Structures are given as structure tokens and as C-alpha cells.
Amino acid sequence: MRPTTLIGLALTSVLAMAWAAPVNAASIYASCDSEVASDVERFVCQIRSGDGKKMNDLSVEVNDRGPVDGFKAIPYSWVTNQSAFYFIVQTSSVNSAQLASMFDFLNRIVYPAGKQKMGFATAGASFDEQAPLGSSRLRIDNSIRAVRSMALKPNEPSVVLASIEKAIDKLSSEKAERRAVVVISDSDPSTTGVSESKIVDLARDREVALYFVSFGRNKQEPSSVLKKLGRDTAGGAHDVADLPRQELLEFASELSTHLENGLVLSFDARGLPQASEIKLSANLEGVGRVSADPIAVERQTEDTWLDSSRSFVADNLFMLLAALGLGVGGVLVLRLRGAKNRSARFDVEEDTPDEVADIDDDEYTAEATSFGNTVSAADAEEPRAWLEILGDHRERVPLHSGNFQVGRGKDSDIRLENSSVHRQHAMIQMDADGRFSIHDLGTKNGVFVNGNRYSQRTLANGDLIELGEVKLRFAEVPA
């Protein structure tokens, strides 16, 4: 996948649906783990849609306690997040036309960019690794050229499906946030020596999605085995046999977004049960409200006495308030009974209501306060850029390296107190080259740059950013 093709990532859902709808197009998938850093435990969840559709209005629940507030949501990106792909291409029991199309597809898609790691193998009569995971682009290109000229073996059985377990084992050793095996094959490859249930169990255990790109003969659709393996591992099966060459190459450029979409969520695990069940849901563009399967996560640490007390109060707040109400009610009843016999001896003044001040309904002027990444003026690193909040009370917020969440929520790094701004509205990121970009966190009001709406955009000096009614100006620091 070349960087120049990544401009069209937002078109994935349109292109993929028009060509080869994945088995689980209207689904979202999630996985969660516990992470401990500086003695603080957090749950970190990966959530994505089945075919790259945009999601918004995220909801997180743990053990039916109601919505979790204060979670952070960062867009998943090949620039900042680690993905690993392993490709297997069938090189026997196929004809010359199929093999030529397979290698056209392979040459376009096996092209690592950003933090992606890729490798590929051929599967004829045996599994032969051609480029291990993490290979450079040059090595991958040379390997593809070498195997492309190999002799055709149309009658030799292929072990392409039997090789999937080996590919999963190779991926499981990588410290990647998302992993996938992509099988490029005939529509009905041999299942000799293949245990579907074993492959599914292994892929689920190692959190590896399986995708099948089928080059069938005579318009033959992917076999039921390919569809089932894709469906049961949060992947998919795609029939591309009838695509014109240009559309096939475009589809190859877009396929990775079936894995590299969605968000990375994180929230504090303190006060939550040791055995937690996490439920994630979101509105999927063009589909509606969709929920991922519940995820069981075991905590790594135990809460302090104070955290446990807070958790008890939160879990039993209604019961505690009811008990308090009964206690207060009992005291009032006793006092009223004691006062009843004396009431005739006293004149009771009628209470007059307190005067209520008029509430100023004028629009709130947006203000920004920079939280997080704050250090003393003497020790502060030089800003890499500035974000100026426009309006009557102008304020400049320095942008250093790293990620900055912008929103109305109290946990935002740059807080904008305006009702038109979402609690988690946008994320500003700086890449390894010092360039800043802004990402919409799935909001209804959206992110606008210079009057146009974007899901993500690289920022340039002087860009005007609009988040709801709040306007900000991005300014680069001269080198």
C-alpha cells in the first residue's frame, strides 16, 4: 500500500461494497486489554468496523454499571499505531491468468508505510516464506519479482489453507496492536489437512483477523470454507475475479483500512471489578446502532482501600441514598410528633420563597485551558506550533510533541467550554517529521478546516479550524 493511495481511505466503504462486500460489513469488532503504567491500571480497547465505515457516538459499559465517562478515544492510524499483515499467495492449482492477477494485487498491497509491518509467503506444494515480517520495501519488491517468474504448476495441489496456522504463529510474535493474515487464492482451494475449528480458535486466541481475496474461475464465488473462516475471525471474504485491473489495484490499496480504521479507547480501571466484562457500541454510518461482542478482561492490580470505598459508593449509590432518606424521614417524623402537641402555642410564619436571580442566556464565550503536558516556564520545551482560540478573549495554547485531545470534557488536554463542542471532539497529533494533523473523534458537529469538513487533515500554517461554534487558528513556529 503506497502512501499516495492513502488519500482515498475515506472511500473504502463505497469501493469495497461496490466490488466485493465483506461477510461482516455491518459489524464492529473490539478487543480489550489491561495495561499498567506508573502504578495506574487502564483498560485499552481497539474498536473497528468490518469494512471501514465511519463510527460515532461511542458508548462503553462495564458489568452493566451504566456508561463509562471520561474515556479517551484516539483515531487508529498507520502513522502512529502498529499494524502487522502477513500475506499468503497460492502459486499452484491456478492458471496463468489467475496467477498474473494475484501478483498484480500482491505487488500493490504488500507495500509497508508508516508503522506497518508486512511479510509474505507462497503456497504451492509447500509453504515458502519469501519476505519475513518487517522486511524493507526493497526486499519485498525483489522477492515479488523473483517469485513472479516462477514456473506455472496448474496440477500441483496447494497448501495455501494449511499454511494459515504458520502465518498466525509468525504474527503472534509481533508486538502489534492489530494483526491480519491475507490469503490470496482461488475461490475453492484444497482443504486437505485443514481443521477449520483449529484455525478459528488459534486466530481468535492470537487476535488475528483472516481476510480472503478470491480469484475464482468462471465467476465462481468464494467457497463456504473461506466465508466461514473470514466471518468467524472478524475478517472477511472478497470475490475480485471479475474486477477490471484498475479497480483491482484500487481495491488492493483500500483493503488495509478494513483492519486499520476506528479508534483506540482507554479509561481508568480503578474501582472496576477484577473480572470485568466490557461492552462497546457505536453508531455505524449508514447502518445505525451496532454493538461488539462483550469482552472479558482480568485486572492486573487490586484497588486501594480508598478506591474500593469509592467503587462501593458508586455501585450502591441508590441504596445508600434510599437508606439516608429513610433515616432522615424517621428523624423528621419523630420531631413532628414532638412538635404536634406544642403547635397550638406557637404562631407559624409562612415561609417565603427565595428570590431567584435572572440567568444570563447570552452565548458562552469559548475559553481554552491547556491541561496535561504542562511544565514550568523554565523547564518547558519550545513549542512546535501554536493553537490560537479566536474571539473576545484570545488565548494561545502551545503545541509540543505528542497527542492533544480537544473537547469540552474535563479530561481534555485543550478544553473548550462551549456547548457546541463535544466532550471528546478532536485529536491533534504530531508525527515523526514534526507535522501536525487533526482528527475528528466521530462527532456529530464535525471538524472543519478552512470551511471544509474533514475526518482527518494535515495542518498548515494559518489554517482556520472550526469545532462547533469555536474558531481556532493554527500557527507554525518558524524553524
Side-chain angles (χ1 to χ4, degrees):
M1 184 175 63
R2 292 174 170 79
T4 53
T5 66
L6 295 171
I7 298 173
L9 293 183
L11 299 176
T12 301
S13 59
V14 177
L15 294 172
M17 290 296 290
W19 295 332
V23 175
N24 295 340
S27 301
I28 60 173
Y29 306 109
S31 62
C32 298
D33 290 302
S34 167
E35 295 183 2
V36 180
S38 301
D39 297 326
V40 176
E41 184 175 8
R42 297 181 68 81
F43 287 144
V44 179
C45 300
Q46 303 278 344
I47 180 170
R48 63 182 176 90
S49 64
D51 63 351
K53 280 189 171 69
K54 186 177 180 181
M55 61 180 71
N56 56 44
D57 192 18
L58 304 175
S59 175
V60 184
E61 292 188 16
V62 179
N63 290 51
D64 298 321
R65 292 185 172 200
V68 173
D69 293 323
F71 64 82
K72 282 199 172 185
I74 301 175
Y76 192 93
S77 168
W78 54 269
V79 177
T80 56
N81 299 99
Q82 183 83 65
S83 302
F85 296 85
Y86 200 91
F87 300 85
I88 309 174
V89 58
Q90 179 181 348
T91 55
S92 62
S93 296
V94 292
N95 59 39
S96 58
Q98 286 176 297
L99 197 59
S101 295
M102 288 178 186
F103 276 110
D104 279 345
F105 183 88
L106 186 71
N107 189 56
R108 174 60 64 93
I109 195 172
V110 188
Y111 200 94
K115 297 186 71 174
Q116 294 172 330
K117 285 190 175 182
M118 295 186 178
F120 86 95
T122 54
S126 62
F127 174 87
D128 297 304
E129 185 170 72
Q130 305 297 334
L133 274 167
S135 293
S136 66
R137 295 177 184 174
L138 179 60
R139 175 166 182 178
I140 290 173
D141 284 344
N142 290 337
S143 299
I144 291 176
R145 289 193 193 97
V147 298
R148 192 165 193 165
S149 59
M150 65 193 312
L152 187 66
K153 300 178 181 179
N155 299 318
E156 185 177 80
S158 173
V159 296
V160 62
L161 294 187
S163 302
I164 293 176
E165 293 178 36
K166 295 179 181 179
I168 293 175
D169 286 336
K170 292 179 181 294
L171 283 171
S172 61
S173 63
E174 289 294 326
K175 293 182 179 179
E177 297 172 71
R178 299 186 184 181
R179 307 177 184 89
V181 173
V182 181
V183 178
I184 304 168
S185 70
D186 183 49
S187 60
D188 191 17
S190 171
T191 58
T192 302
V194 174
S195 170
E196 296 175 37
S197 60
K198 186 177 179 181
I199 290 176
V200 169
D201 290 343
L202 183 63
R204 286 177 173 175
D205 181 63
R206 308 288 175 84
E207 295 183 353
V208 175
L210 303 182
Y211 292 92
F212 297 88
V213 181
S214 167
F215 292 81
R217 309 183 200 190
N218 301 321
K219 298 183 179 181
Q220 186 177 9
E221 293 186 356
S223 68
S224 59
V225 173
L226 300 188
K227 291 180 180 179
K228 184 177 187 303
L229 289 174
R231 179 181 64 248
D232 293 348
T233 60
H238 304 262
D239 178 15
V240 298
D242 294 333
L243 293 185
R245 185 174 185 276
Q246 185 57 39
E247 291 185 2
L248 175 66
L249 297 181
E250 290 176 3
F251 178 62
S253 299
E254 305 295 346
L255 181 60
S256 66
T257 59
H258 290 205
L259 185 75
E260 295 178 311
N261 72 76
L263 301 162
V264 181
L265 310 181
S266 63
F267 55 95
D268 198 338
R270 288 176 296 181
L272 298 177
Q274 292 299 119
S276 292
E277 184 179 73
I278 301 174
K279 297 178 181 178
L280 301 171
S281 64
N283 279 333
L284 204 57
E285 187 177 48
V287 177
R289 197 76 187 171
V290 182
S291 298
D293 291 335
I295 307 146
V297 181
E298 289 288 336
R299 289 192 51 190
Q300 301 182 53
T301 63
E302 294 185 359
D303 290 330
T304 63
W305 178 86
L306 181 59
D307 289 332
S308 298
S309 299
R310 289 173 177 169
S311 177
F312 176 80
V313 171
D315 290 345
N316 301 279
L317 183 60
F318 179 79
M319 185 174 64
L320 292 173
L321 289 175
L324 180 62
L326 289 174
V328 172
V331 171
L332 290 175
V333 168
L334 291 175
R335 294 193 65 179
L336 288 171
R337 284 181 177 177
K340 185 176 181 182
N341 294 329
R342 302 192 302 271
S343 61
R345 294 181 293 165
F346 296 91
D347 292 326
V348 180
E349 289 188 15
E350 184 178 356
D351 289 334
T352 57
D354 293 336
E355 235 178 74
V356 180
D358 290 335
I359 297 175
D360 185 5
D361 288 327
D362 289 342
E363 180 179 321
Y364 192 94
T365 301
E367 297 180 357
T369 306
S370 179
F371 297 92
N373 301 313
T374 55
V375 292
S376 66
D379 297 330
E381 62 173 301
E382 289 295 326
R384 307 298 293 271
W386 293 90
L387 198 63
E388 183 179 6
I389 292 85
L390 306 179
D392 294 337
H393 305 287
R394 292 200 174 201
E395 183 176 348
R396 290 204 309 166
V397 179
L399 299 178
H400 303 280
S401 58
N403 300 327
F404 295 83
Q405 181 171 293
V406 185
R408 182 165 45 86
K410 294 181 179 180
D411 60 341
S412 296
D413 299 306
I414 300 174
R415 188 177 176 191
L416 303 175
E417 294 186 350
N418 186 287
S419 59
S420 66
V421 177
H422 294 262
R423 285 181 299 173
Q424 293 95 24
H425 199 118
M427 183 67 63
I428 295 178
Q429 298 177 335
M430 191 187 84
D431 63 19
D433 296 325
R435 293 173 301 185
F436 284 89
S437 59
I438 189 166
H439 304 257
D440 187 353
L441 297 181
T443 61
K444 180 180 179 181
N445 290 345
V447 171
F448 291 79
V449 180
N450 300 327
N452 297 314
R453 183 167 184 166
Y454 296 95
S455 59
Q456 62 180 44
R457 178 176 171 81
T458 300
L459 295 174
N461 187 43
D463 277 352
L464 178 65
I465 302 168
E466 295 178 74
L467 306 180
E469 299 170 354
V470 179
K471 295 183 179 180
L472 311 100
R473 180 79 65 187
F474 175 78
E476 295 178 339
V477 173

Short mmCIF file of all heavy atoms in Angstrom, two decimals, residues 1-13 15 77-79 108 113 116 249-250 252-257 260 435 453-458:
data_model
loop_
_atom_site.label_atom_id
_atom_site.label_comp_id
_atom_site.label_asym_id
_atom_site.label_seq_id
_atom_site.Cartn_x
_atom_site.Cartn_y
_atom_site.Cartn_z
N MET A 1 0.85 -1.18 0.00
CA MET A 1 0.00 0.00 0.00
C MET A 1 0.88 1.23 0.00
O MET A 1 1.55 1.52 0.97
CB MET A 1 -0.88 -0.01 1.25
CG MET A 1 -1.86 1.13 1.29
SD MET A 1 -2.96 0.96 2.72
CE MET A 1 -1.77 1.10 4.03
N ARG A 2 0.93 1.97 -1.10
CA ARG A 2 1.79 3.12 -1.23
C ARG A 2 1.16 4.33 -0.56
O ARG A 2 -0.06 4.49 -0.55
CB ARG A 2 2.06 3.41 -2.71
CG ARG A 2 2.92 2.31 -3.34
CD ARG A 2 3.07 2.52 -4.83
NE ARG A 2 4.05 1.63 -5.38
CZ ARG A 2 3.85 0.36 -5.66
NH1 ARG A 2 2.69 -0.16 -5.40
NH2 ARG A 2 4.81 -0.39 -6.17
N PRO A 3 1.96 5.26 -0.01
CA PRO A 3 1.40 6.43 0.66
C PRO A 3 0.48 7.24 -0.23
O PRO A 3 -0.49 7.83 0.24
CB PRO A 3 2.65 7.22 1.05
CG PRO A 3 3.74 6.19 1.18
CD PRO A 3 3.42 5.18 0.11
N THR A 4 0.75 7.29 -1.55
CA THR A 4 -0.08 8.10 -2.43
C THR A 4 -1.50 7.57 -2.53
O THR A 4 -2.41 8.30 -2.88
CB THR A 4 0.53 8.15 -3.85
OG1 THR A 4 0.76 6.81 -4.29
CG2 THR A 4 1.84 8.91 -3.84
N THR A 5 -1.67 6.30 -2.25
CA THR A 5 -3.02 5.74 -2.33
C THR A 5 -3.82 6.00 -1.08
O THR A 5 -5.02 5.79 -1.06
CB THR A 5 -2.95 4.22 -2.54
OG1 THR A 5 -2.37 3.63 -1.38
CG2 THR A 5 -2.11 3.88 -3.76
N LEU A 6 -3.18 6.46 0.00
CA LEU A 6 -3.87 6.60 1.27
C LEU A 6 -4.81 7.80 1.33
O LEU A 6 -5.59 7.94 2.24
CB LEU A 6 -2.83 6.71 2.40
CG LEU A 6 -2.00 5.43 2.56
CD1 LEU A 6 -0.87 5.67 3.53
CD2 LEU A 6 -2.88 4.29 3.04
N ILE A 7 -4.70 8.69 0.31
CA ILE A 7 -5.58 9.85 0.28
C ILE A 7 -7.02 9.40 0.18
O ILE A 7 -7.94 10.02 0.71
CB ILE A 7 -5.21 10.75 -0.91
CG1 ILE A 7 -3.78 11.26 -0.72
CG2 ILE A 7 -6.18 11.91 -1.03
CD1 ILE A 7 -3.25 12.02 -1.91
N GLY A 8 -7.27 8.26 -0.47
CA GLY A 8 -8.64 7.82 -0.69
C GLY A 8 -9.16 6.86 0.35
O GLY A 8 -10.11 6.16 0.10
N LEU A 9 -8.58 6.84 1.55
CA LEU A 9 -9.02 5.86 2.54
C LEU A 9 -10.48 6.04 2.92
O LEU A 9 -11.17 5.08 3.22
CB LEU A 9 -8.15 5.95 3.79
CG LEU A 9 -6.70 5.52 3.61
CD1 LEU A 9 -5.95 5.58 4.93
CD2 LEU A 9 -6.61 4.12 3.03
N ALA A 10 -10.96 7.28 2.93
CA ALA A 10 -12.35 7.52 3.33
C ALA A 10 -13.34 6.91 2.37
O ALA A 10 -14.51 6.75 2.68
CB ALA A 10 -12.60 9.02 3.44
N LEU A 11 -12.89 6.53 1.15
CA LEU A 11 -13.79 5.95 0.15
C LEU A 11 -13.91 4.44 0.28
O LEU A 11 -14.58 3.80 -0.51
CB LEU A 11 -13.27 6.27 -1.26
CG LEU A 11 -13.18 7.77 -1.62
CD1 LEU A 11 -12.55 7.91 -2.99
CD2 LEU A 11 -14.53 8.42 -1.57
N THR A 12 -13.28 3.88 1.30
CA THR A 12 -13.22 2.42 1.41
C THR A 12 -14.59 1.77 1.39
O THR A 12 -14.82 0.79 0.68
CB THR A 12 -12.51 2.03 2.72
OG1 THR A 12 -11.21 2.60 2.69
CG2 THR A 12 -12.42 0.53 2.85
N SER A 13 -15.51 2.32 2.21
CA SER A 13 -16.81 1.65 2.30
C SER A 13 -17.52 1.64 0.96
O SER A 13 -18.18 0.67 0.61
CB SER A 13 -17.67 2.35 3.35
OG SER A 13 -17.86 3.70 3.00
N LEU A 15 -16.11 1.81 -2.19
CA LEU A 15 -15.42 0.94 -3.14
C LEU A 15 -15.60 -0.53 -2.79
O LEU A 15 -15.91 -1.36 -3.63
CB LEU A 15 -13.93 1.30 -3.16
CG LEU A 15 -13.61 2.72 -3.70
CD1 LEU A 15 -12.14 3.03 -3.48
CD2 LEU A 15 -13.97 2.82 -5.16
N SER A 77 -4.40 4.94 13.39
CA SER A 77 -3.72 5.43 12.20
C SER A 77 -2.45 4.62 11.96
O SER A 77 -1.73 4.28 12.90
CB SER A 77 -3.36 6.91 12.37
OG SER A 77 -2.46 7.35 11.37
N TRP A 78 -2.17 4.32 10.69
CA TRP A 78 -0.94 3.60 10.35
C TRP A 78 0.30 4.45 10.64
O TRP A 78 1.41 3.93 10.67
CB TRP A 78 -0.94 3.18 8.88
CG TRP A 78 -1.19 4.30 7.91
CD1 TRP A 78 -2.39 4.71 7.42
CD2 TRP A 78 -0.22 5.17 7.32
NE1 TRP A 78 -2.24 5.76 6.57
CE2 TRP A 78 -0.91 6.07 6.48
CE3 TRP A 78 1.17 5.26 7.41
CZ2 TRP A 78 -0.25 7.06 5.75
CZ3 TRP A 78 1.82 6.24 6.67
CH2 TRP A 78 1.12 7.12 5.86
N VAL A 79 0.10 5.76 10.87
CA VAL A 79 1.24 6.63 11.17
C VAL A 79 1.71 6.43 12.61
O VAL A 79 2.91 6.40 12.88
CB VAL A 79 0.86 8.11 10.93
CG1 VAL A 79 2.01 9.04 11.32
CG2 VAL A 79 0.47 8.33 9.48
N ARG A 108 0.77 -4.49 -5.33
CA ARG A 108 0.19 -3.22 -4.90
C ARG A 108 -0.02 -3.18 -3.39
O ARG A 108 0.23 -2.15 -2.75
CB ARG A 108 -1.14 -2.97 -5.62
CG ARG A 108 -1.91 -1.73 -5.15
CD ARG A 108 -1.10 -0.44 -5.33
NE ARG A 108 -0.85 -0.16 -6.72
CZ ARG A 108 -1.62 0.60 -7.47
NH1 ARG A 108 -2.70 1.16 -6.96
NH2 ARG A 108 -1.30 0.82 -8.73
N ALA A 113 3.93 1.08 4.96
CA ALA A 113 4.05 2.52 5.16
C ALA A 113 3.85 2.82 6.63
O ALA A 113 3.17 2.08 7.35
CB ALA A 113 3.03 3.27 4.31
N GLN A 116 3.53 0.20 9.75
CA GLN A 116 3.08 -1.12 9.32
C GLN A 116 4.27 -2.08 9.18
O GLN A 116 5.36 -1.69 8.76
CB GLN A 116 2.38 -1.03 7.97
CG GLN A 116 1.07 -0.26 7.99
CD GLN A 116 0.53 -0.05 6.59
OE1 GLN A 116 1.29 0.03 5.63
NE2 GLN A 116 -0.79 0.04 6.46
N LEU A 249 -6.56 -2.93 -8.52
CA LEU A 249 -5.44 -2.25 -7.86
C LEU A 249 -5.95 -1.23 -6.84
O LEU A 249 -5.35 -1.08 -5.77
CB LEU A 249 -4.55 -1.57 -8.90
CG LEU A 249 -3.86 -2.50 -9.90
CD1 LEU A 249 -2.99 -1.71 -10.86
CD2 LEU A 249 -3.04 -3.57 -9.19
N GLU A 250 -7.05 -0.57 -7.15
CA GLU A 250 -7.63 0.36 -6.19
C GLU A 250 -8.13 -0.37 -4.95
O GLU A 250 -7.96 0.08 -3.82
CB GLU A 250 -8.76 1.16 -6.84
CG GLU A 250 -8.28 2.15 -7.89
CD GLU A 250 -9.45 2.86 -8.58
OE1 GLU A 250 -10.60 2.60 -8.18
OE2 GLU A 250 -9.21 3.64 -9.50
N ALA A 252 -6.95 -3.17 -3.81
CA ALA A 252 -5.76 -3.58 -3.05
C ALA A 252 -5.27 -2.43 -2.17
O ALA A 252 -4.85 -2.65 -1.02
CB ALA A 252 -4.65 -4.02 -4.01
N SER A 253 -5.32 -1.21 -2.69
CA SER A 253 -4.87 -0.06 -1.93
C SER A 253 -5.77 0.22 -0.73
O SER A 253 -5.32 0.77 0.27
CB SER A 253 -4.83 1.19 -2.83
OG SER A 253 -3.94 1.00 -3.90
N GLU A 254 -7.05 -0.15 -0.83
CA GLU A 254 -8.00 0.18 0.22
C GLU A 254 -8.22 -0.94 1.24
O GLU A 254 -8.76 -0.69 2.31
CB GLU A 254 -9.36 0.51 -0.42
CG GLU A 254 -9.34 1.62 -1.46
CD GLU A 254 -8.94 2.96 -0.88
OE1 GLU A 254 -8.95 3.10 0.35
OE2 GLU A 254 -8.62 3.86 -1.66
N LEU A 255 -7.81 -2.16 0.94
CA LEU A 255 -8.16 -3.30 1.78
C LEU A 255 -7.65 -3.14 3.21
O LEU A 255 -8.31 -3.56 4.16
CB LEU A 255 -7.62 -4.60 1.17
CG LEU A 255 -7.94 -5.89 1.96
CD1 LEU A 255 -9.44 -6.08 2.09
CD2 LEU A 255 -7.31 -7.10 1.29
N SER A 256 -6.48 -2.55 3.39
CA SER A 256 -5.91 -2.47 4.73
C SER A 256 -6.79 -1.67 5.68
O SER A 256 -6.72 -1.86 6.91
CB SER A 256 -4.51 -1.85 4.69
OG SER A 256 -4.58 -0.51 4.27
N THR A 257 -7.65 -0.77 5.15
CA THR A 257 -8.49 0.01 6.04
C THR A 257 -9.61 -0.82 6.66
O THR A 257 -10.27 -0.36 7.59
CB THR A 257 -9.12 1.22 5.30
OG1 THR A 257 -9.89 0.73 4.20
CG2 THR A 257 -8.06 2.15 4.80
N GLU A 260 -7.42 -1.26 9.60
CA GLU A 260 -6.88 -0.02 10.17
C GLU A 260 -7.93 1.10 10.11
O GLU A 260 -7.78 2.07 9.39
CB GLU A 260 -5.62 0.41 9.42
CG GLU A 260 -4.47 -0.57 9.60
CD GLU A 260 -3.24 -0.18 8.81
OE1 GLU A 260 -3.38 0.13 7.60
OE2 GLU A 260 -2.16 -0.17 9.38
N ARG A 435 5.12 17.24 11.65
CA ARG A 435 3.90 17.78 11.05
C ARG A 435 2.70 17.48 11.93
O ARG A 435 2.58 16.39 12.48
CB ARG A 435 3.69 17.19 9.66
CG ARG A 435 4.73 17.61 8.64
CD ARG A 435 4.55 16.87 7.34
NE ARG A 435 4.66 15.42 7.54
CZ ARG A 435 4.65 14.52 6.57
NH1 ARG A 435 4.51 14.93 5.32
NH2 ARG A 435 4.76 13.24 6.84
N ARG A 453 -15.24 20.20 5.73
CA ARG A 453 -15.28 19.20 6.79
C ARG A 453 -14.33 18.06 6.47
O ARG A 453 -14.28 17.58 5.34
CB ARG A 453 -16.70 18.66 6.97
CG ARG A 453 -16.82 17.66 8.12
CD ARG A 453 -18.26 17.38 8.47
NE ARG A 453 -18.36 16.51 9.63
CZ ARG A 453 -19.47 16.29 10.31
NH1 ARG A 453 -20.59 16.91 9.96
NH2 ARG A 453 -19.48 15.48 11.36
N TYR A 454 -13.57 17.61 7.48
CA TYR A 454 -12.62 16.52 7.30
C TYR A 454 -12.72 15.55 8.48
O TYR A 454 -12.98 15.95 9.62
CB TYR A 454 -11.18 17.04 7.24
CG TYR A 454 -10.88 17.95 6.06
CD1 TYR A 454 -10.95 19.33 6.19
CD2 TYR A 454 -10.52 17.42 4.82
CE1 TYR A 454 -10.68 20.17 5.12
CE2 TYR A 454 -10.24 18.25 3.75
CZ TYR A 454 -10.33 19.62 3.90
OH TYR A 454 -10.06 20.43 2.84
N SER A 455 -12.47 14.26 8.19
CA SER A 455 -12.31 13.29 9.27
C SER A 455 -10.90 13.34 9.81
O SER A 455 -10.67 13.11 11.00
CB SER A 455 -12.65 11.88 8.78
OG SER A 455 -11.79 11.51 7.71
N GLN A 456 -9.91 13.65 8.95
CA GLN A 456 -8.55 13.90 9.40
C GLN A 456 -7.85 14.75 8.33
O GLN A 456 -8.14 14.62 7.14
CB GLN A 456 -7.79 12.60 9.65
CG GLN A 456 -7.62 11.71 8.42
CD GLN A 456 -6.85 10.45 8.77
OE1 GLN A 456 -7.09 9.82 9.78
NE2 GLN A 456 -5.91 10.09 7.94
N ARG A 457 -6.96 15.63 8.77
CA ARG A 457 -6.29 16.51 7.82
C ARG A 457 -4.97 17.00 8.41
O ARG A 457 -4.89 17.33 9.59
CB ARG A 457 -7.18 17.71 7.47
CG ARG A 457 -6.51 18.71 6.51
CD ARG A 457 -7.45 19.81 6.12
NE ARG A 457 -6.79 20.88 5.39
CZ ARG A 457 -6.51 20.84 4.10
NH1 ARG A 457 -6.84 19.77 3.39
NH2 ARG A 457 -5.89 21.86 3.50
N THR A 458 -3.93 17.03 7.56
CA THR A 458 -2.66 17.62 7.95
C THR A 458 -2.82 19.14 7.97
O THR A 458 -3.39 19.73 7.06
CB THR A 458 -1.55 17.22 6.95
OG1 THR A 458 -1.43 15.79 6.95
CG2 THR A 458 -0.22 17.83 7.36
#
